[in-house]
Amino acid sequence: MNLTILRNEEYATALKEALTMRRNGTRDRATDDQLGLFAYNIALWAIATSVQKQQLCRSMSSAPDIQSYVLCVVVAYLDKVDLDRQPKEILVYLYRVARSAIRDLVDKATAAKRQHEEVV
């Protein structure tokens, strides 16, 4: 399967419509599939930007665990989106959620180990 990363506001309106259908319970299988593709693209967009800004190393970016984690965080926030916002604002919100997830992963991976002393 050949997937391309959609950029910026190309699909912001469709994303908002799919989220509205999800919230109302009127979505179908095709809409769910498209919403998953939107979430996947947002996750990959955030990962690619993090690599470009040297906040995430390239070897970590291609790891399936990293990609899956970021995607799961984006999907978890789909139901928390404020649908009263403009489509581009919704897209940016989910993008920032993905970037925050990446920052959290990097912080956890590079955190110093705690040292302790045995007290008898």
Side-chain angles (χ1 to χ4, degrees):
M1 184 182 337
N2 187 10
L3 298 175
T4 59
I5 299 175
L6 301 176
R7 309 212 105 197
N8 301 332
E9 55 213 66
E10 294 174 12
Y11 59 97
T13 305
L15 173 64
K16 182 176 180 177
E17 290 174 10
L19 287 171
T20 303
M21 290 175 71
R22 177 183 171 106
R23 189 86 38 97
N24 294 336
T26 59
R27 70 187 187 277
D28 57 353
R29 174 65 185 219
T31 304
D32 249 0
D33 290 345
Q34 195 63 39
L35 191 56
L37 183 60
F38 291 153
Y40 181 74
N41 278 297
I42 291 168
L44 289 184
W45 177 28
I47 290 170
T49 303
S50 296
V51 170
Q52 185 180 23
K53 292 185 176 186
Q54 298 180 347
Q55 296 167 340
L56 181 68
C57 64
R58 189 172 299 277
S59 61
M60 282 182 71
S61 71
S62 60
D65 291 344
I66 303 292
Q67 293 177 356
S68 297
Y69 175 76
V70 175
L71 177 60
C72 286
V73 171
V74 171
V75 169
Y77 275 81
L78 290 178
D79 292 326
K80 298 177 183 181
V81 171
D82 181 9
L83 295 177
D84 293 332
R85 295 192 174 272
Q86 295 297 317
K88 187 176 178 183
E89 292 174 330
I90 292 172
L91 181 65
V92 170
Y93 170 76
L94 292 172
Y95 170 75
R96 287 183 178 172
V97 163
R99 290 292 306 271
S100 294
I102 293 166
R103 263 185 255 112
D104 289 345
L105 276 173
V106 171
D107 288 347
K108 288 177 187 175
T110 59
K113 304 272 187 225
R114 292 186 181 180
Q115 301 295 323
H116 73 283
E117 287 183 26
E118 301 260 341
V119 179
V120 182

